[in-house]
Amino acid sequence: MGFRGGSAVVSTRTYVPSASWSRVPRDLPEHHVLRLLEPAFRNDDPHQATRVAHAWMGDGTLGTDAEPAFYAYRTVESGHEALGVVVLVDLEAGNLRPHEDVIAAYAIRQARLAEATRAQWEPITAYTTREPVGPLLASTTVRPADHVAEDLDRTDEIWAITDPETIHAVSERLADQPLVIADGHHRYAAWRTAPEREGRLALTLVLDQPVLTVGPIHRVVARLNLDEALLGLPLPALELADVDAAADFVAVSETRCVLTDGRRFLGVDAYECASCWVEDVFTPHHGLESDAVSYEPDLHAAARIAKEEGGVSLLMATPSLETVTRAATSGRLLPHKSSWFRPKPRVGMIMRRWG
């Protein structure tokens, strides 16, 4: 299921998400996909999304494919190509594995939205841990794509896969290997609780590890003084010259973190994954409530926010893909918002309804 119309129409109605949903625009065009997702990030009435979906199905804005299919999905952005497959993953089978915890309120909003609309408006993104899936899709992508969207230096293409041999090969390749969630932990947590069996079949884009890029999500703590931030914590701090030196410092190891008020930069090495130290040690040490912490994926922006708005930013190291995979396959989850992954699928290119 997706938007109908040519590439220009689909491009204007869909959305390439950044690493943070805080940057979603307030004013949306009438037929923009984010009107279906607003209850999940603005805590609006989920039944409004149901009414919008019914209206769009009725007037042809949205359409469904003639027969069930797998889908090859390719993004090309700044010369970087990523090819994967969109399938339904049975959440009761245990193959789909989260690598980080969730914020309960966010998952509840997602659950309310899915239950009200009987739909999954945005796929989870996961990656293979054993045999790659990309090579199985080569024969599909030689023909023109069924749906295309373009935005600046990015192109998204989708092909419906109905060939029994390809479907069988993909099914066999994915059946017995863990799939680690790269993006969509709150959707995963929400859809696992779906009251209907159909709701527990998760729309999932499966990619291979080599095409993924991973980065950290930094913390911004309001009403905290930098001189007090490390008091009582037995870690030596290294004075760093500026934000560029901070970026170089955290790039050395996933155990590093820099505390800054935007003027001074104090580097520490926690000797464990930086987000784990922040969540398990730093946050409880200061008695921080969840509303005192915000999240920013851009390191320079996080430092600037601390300077302009006061408080302290914690500039985080990037968790390694090995750490992420180990967390997912061992069940010892990383803290919420430990990482972001690219590419993210364009929201609205492929959706699913069972109502």
Side-chain angles (χ1 to χ4, degrees), residues 218-221 257-259 277-278 282 312-316:
H218 312 289
R219 272 65 170 158
V220 181
V221 183
C257 177
V258 173
L259 288 76
W277 175 75
V278 169
F282 184 88
V312 170
S313 287
L314 292 92
L315 310 180
M316 315 290 285

Side-chain angles (χ1 to χ4, degrees), residues 175-212:
D176 296 323
Q177 65 171 307
L179 304 173
V180 176
I181 296 176
D183 182 74
H185 285 85
H186 291 93
R187 294 188 293 281
Y188 167 80
W191 298 349
R192 289 184 70 200
T193 67
E196 296 179 276
R197 169 67 179 161
E198 283 290 325
R200 298 192 294 275
L201 302 176
L203 187 67
T204 306
L205 168 61
V206 181
L207 298 167
D208 297 321
Q209 293 186 31
V211 305
L212 291 167

Side-chain angles (χ1 to χ4, degrees), residues 26 54 57 69 117 183 197 235 262 321:
R26 292 297 309 182
H54 282 309
M57 292 292 292
T117 59
D183 182 74
R197 169 67 179 161
L235 286 178
L321 201 58

Side-chain angles (χ1 to χ4, degrees), residues 145-159:
D146 297 314
H147 301 285
V148 179
E150 297 178 292
D151 181 24
L152 299 177
D153 62 348
R154 172 168 167 151
T155 301
D156 292 66
E157 301 169 288
I158 286 182
W159 294 259

Side-chain angles (χ1 to χ4, degrees), residues 56-125:
W56 289 0
M57 292 292 292
D59 66 15
T61 298
L62 292 176
T64 58
D65 289 347
E67 58 182 312
F70 288 1
Y71 295 86
Y73 191 124
R74 180 167 65 196
T75 65
V76 180
E77 185 171 14
S78 302
H80 178 75
E81 179 178 328
L83 175 64
V85 64
V86 180
V87 297
L88 293 183
V89 177
D90 186 347
L91 295 183
E92 296 177 359
N95 291 57
L96 199 59
R97 310 281 184 85
H99 76 264
E100 64 180 37
D101 207 347
V102 298
I103 300 172
Y106 293 4
I108 290 171
R109 292 178 192 175
Q110 289 283 356
R112 292 176 65 233
L113 177 62
E115 185 173 353
T117 59
R118 303 183 76 197
Q120 296 166 350
W121 301 119
E122 180 185 3
I124 290 169
T125 303

